[in-house]
Amino acid sequence: MIGVFDSGAGGLTVLTALRRELPSADFLYYGDIKNAPYGLRTHAELSRLTLDNVSFLLERGATSIVSACNSASATLALSLLDTFSLTSQQMIEMVGPTVTAFKGYKGTIALAATVATIDSGVYQSAFHMIGKEIEAIAIPALGGAIETGKSAEEIEAIIIETFAARTQPFDVLVLACTHYPLVLDIFKKVLPGVMIFDPSDAVAERARKLFWPKEVANGSTRFVISQDSEPFRKRVHDLFGGSDYTIEVS
């Protein structure tokens, strides 16, 4: 069973891509809504929450882990694999697959993410390793606004304000928070002519390479959330309403 975790609904974008690539796998998704948003948490808090989330998924029977949270990815180190006796073939985070997708890319790159992700420097360092410099743009209020179901108008205003004063052009914008692709249409509206990159497909492709066929099972989908949320339930229904799934509050 593949365990997926995020601070809330953002990871559903990753789960959708994972389900597409691995239709016969069993998935357990944990959304830590009670502690959301992660993007404004300290490094120490993110480390603790990440450990708790991985522990929860393993205790529930997960044999492979996908961290569908860029803020948490900043805390994922090899020591975490040692802590849980996991191998690098059992865990996937967001940064590696995302950066790998840009090997050989010649255009200019901007990256939008949470404060925690930007401050960690994890993406800047990873892109630098493949010879690329990026413009990192923090959008502090956006993840929480999406998670709590703010209106399209409110979300558009946040994105407009973020990019209005920026004069440096870029060819592609990487959405390095899994909540952001949930409002992909608004990003495209605000930034016409800019390619918007959703890392979910890159992560799902990496998962297929690592987890298939060992994760072939019954194709079940279970959701567990740390606090009930009507916006979360609605997004699950919108994305997975055509399939069987269960939602548990724990």
Side-chain angles (χ1 to χ4, degrees):
M1 181 171 64
I2 301 173
V4 183
F5 73 88
D6 184 44
S7 61
L12 298 177
T13 59
V14 178
L15 181 60
T16 300
L18 289 167
R19 174 55 76 202
R20 213 165 35 237
E21 290 288 338
L22 296 161
S24 60
D26 288 343
F27 284 97
L28 172 61
Y29 181 99
Y30 181 63
D32 188 18
I33 295 170
K34 182 170 63 177
N35 292 301
Y38 278 13
L40 299 176
R41 294 280 184 177
T42 67
H43 184 83
E45 289 173 324
L46 286 170
S47 296
R48 176 181 58 80
L49 292 168
T50 300
L51 286 169
D52 290 346
N53 293 342
V54 174
S55 294
F56 178 87
L57 291 170
L58 293 174
E59 288 168 3
R60 290 291 187 106
T63 49
S64 302
I65 302 291
V66 176
S67 168
C69 178
N70 288 277
S71 297
S73 290
T75 71
L76 289 171
L78 292 177
S79 58
L80 183 63
L81 301 180
D82 293 337
T83 299
F84 294 107
S85 299
L86 294 169
T87 71
S88 60
Q89 302 298 300
Q90 290 175 277
M91 177 172 283
I92 297 173
E93 47 76 47
M94 299 295 296
V95 180
T98 302
V99 174
T100 298
F102 285 90
K103 284 185 176 179
Y105 181 72
K106 302 301 183 184
T108 54
I109 303 169
L111 180 139
T114 65
V115 173
T117 299
I118 298 298
D119 286 353
S120 74
V122 63
Y123 270 103
Q124 296 93 317
S125 296
F127 272 106
H128 184 72
M129 289 176 67
I130 63 167
K132 300 189 181 301
E133 301 302 322
I134 62 170
E135 180 185 5
I137 303 166
I139 316 181
L142 186 57
I146 296 169
E147 181 66 41
T148 55
K150 297 295 185 183
S151 70
E153 291 75 19
E154 291 172 290
I155 289 170
E156 182 175 341
I158 293 170
I159 298 173
I160 288 173
E161 182 180 4
T162 298
F163 291 94
R166 297 187 176 273
T167 57
Q168 186 70 25
F170 48 86
D171 298 311
V172 60
L173 178 67
V174 178
L175 301 183
C177 170
T178 53
H179 281 76
Y180 296 177
L182 291 170
V183 293
L184 181 61
D185 56 332
I186 301 178
F187 273 99
K188 289 181 176 180
K189 178 182 177 182
V190 175
L191 299 168
V194 174
M195 184 175 79
I196 309 295
F197 182 80
D198 174 1
S200 299
D201 290 335
V203 172
E205 184 179 347
R206 176 75 60 86
R208 178 176 53 79
K209 291 176 180 177
L210 289 185
F211 300 158
W212 190 89
K214 68 176 182 178
E215 290 292 355
V216 170
N218 300 312
S220 67
T221 307
R222 291 188 291 150
F223 298 92
V224 180
I225 48 181
S226 59
Q227 179 177 295
D228 208 353
S229 164
E230 192 55 39
F232 181 90
R233 289 181 179 272
K234 183 179 185 307
R235 290 197 185 278
V236 169
H237 175 76
D238 291 343
L239 293 169
F240 301 94
S243 61
D244 291 332
Y245 63 83
T246 60
I247 299 180
E248 171 191 345
V249 181
S250 176

